[in-house]
Amino acid sequence: MADLKFTVEDHPTQEDIRTVINKLVEYNNDRQIEKDVYQPLAVLIRDNQDEIVGGLVGKTQWGWLFISHLWVAEMLRGQGYGRQLLLQAEEIAKQRGCSSAYLDTFSFQSLGFYERLGYERFGVLENFPTGHQRYFLKKEI
């Protein structure tokens, strides 16, 4: 073990990233009754040219829906598309056996949007980025 070296990689390969994740999943599975299995989730809005004009990306895991990204093109904002994306993701998550959802957002993004849809804050990081906050929210679905 004395010949180990640390490397900092600004552009790690997908294979290297996958190796770290797979090793962690193996570790988790050895210590949990419920296996660490996640299923990716994407709900997309496409225009008539098949271009993506909105979408939600996340995963379901251990009975939870995690929403990592939600975006709607500026020309479509304020018309209920974001709400529809979120509600569809929650419905799919329920079909997958989930009972809760979580996400994070920034003070310059959509905190009020999520709160209006029943998400509650459970944490905040101050000055992330500087002058702003990063909020963590959850909801029973």
Side-chain angles (χ1 to χ4, degrees), residues 24-85:
L24 178 59
V25 168
E26 287 175 23
Y27 175 88
N28 291 347
N29 285 340
D30 288 343
R31 286 152 183 83
Q32 297 292 322
I33 294 171
E34 189 175 345
K35 296 299 180 192
D36 185 356
V37 176
Y38 75 90
Q39 188 172 0
L41 174 65
V43 181
L44 305 174
I45 303 170
R46 295 179 183 270
D47 65 13
N48 56 8
Q49 282 84 41
D50 213 29
E51 295 292 322
I52 295 173
V53 294
L56 178 148
V57 177
K59 67 178 179 178
T60 55
Q61 181 180 29
W62 283 327
W64 284 78
L65 164 64
F66 170 60
I67 299 162
S68 62
H69 299 85
L70 190 152
W71 166 80
V72 175
E74 195 167 335
M75 66 184 175
L76 299 176
R77 292 181 189 159
Q79 300 176 51
Y81 292 105
R83 180 179 186 277
Q84 289 179 52
L85 287 167

Side-chain angles (χ1 to χ4, degrees), residues 4-36:
L4 298 177
K5 66 179 179 178
F6 286 83
T7 62
V8 176
E9 301 180 23
D10 292 333
H11 304 286
T13 67
Q14 287 300 313
E15 181 181 347
D16 289 345
I17 292 168
R18 197 78 238 147
T19 296
V20 172
I21 293 170
N22 286 341
K23 294 298 182 183
L24 178 59
V25 168
E26 287 175 23
Y27 175 88
N28 291 347
N29 285 340
D30 288 343
R31 286 152 183 83
Q32 297 292 322
I33 294 171
E34 189 175 345
K35 296 299 180 192
D36 185 356

Side-chain angles (χ1 to χ4, degrees), residues 52-119:
I52 295 173
V53 294
L56 178 148
V57 177
K59 67 178 179 178
T60 55
Q61 181 180 29
W62 283 327
W64 284 78
L65 164 64
F66 170 60
I67 299 162
S68 62
H69 299 85
L70 190 152
W71 166 80
V72 175
E74 195 167 335
M75 66 184 175
L76 299 176
R77 292 181 189 159
Q79 300 176 51
Y81 292 105
R83 180 179 186 277
Q84 289 179 52
L85 287 167
L86 195 57
L87 293 176
Q88 283 189 32
E90 289 175 0
E91 185 57 37
I92 295 298
K94 284 191 250 183
Q95 292 171 16
R96 294 180 181 181
C98 295
S99 59
S100 303
Y102 71 105
L103 57 89
D104 63 85
T105 191
F106 296 94
S107 56
F108 55 84
Q109 288 181 328
S110 303
L111 178 62
F113 165 78
Y114 294 114
E115 290 178 326
R116 286 189 297 279
L117 291 171
Y119 284 79

Side-chain angles (χ1 to χ4, degrees), residues 101-140:
Y102 71 105
L103 57 89
D104 63 85
T105 191
F106 296 94
S107 56
F108 55 84
Q109 288 181 328
S110 303
L111 178 62
F113 165 78
Y114 294 114
E115 290 178 326
R116 286 189 297 279
L117 291 171
Y119 284 79
E120 299 175 355
R121 288 183 235 178
F122 68 88
V124 63
L125 292 176
E126 297 293 337
N127 287 313
F128 188 79
T130 302
H132 295 280
Q133 297 79 37
R134 185 174 190 173
Y135 294 102
F136 297 85
L137 299 102
K138 65 180 178 175
K139 175 184 177 181
E140 300 298 315

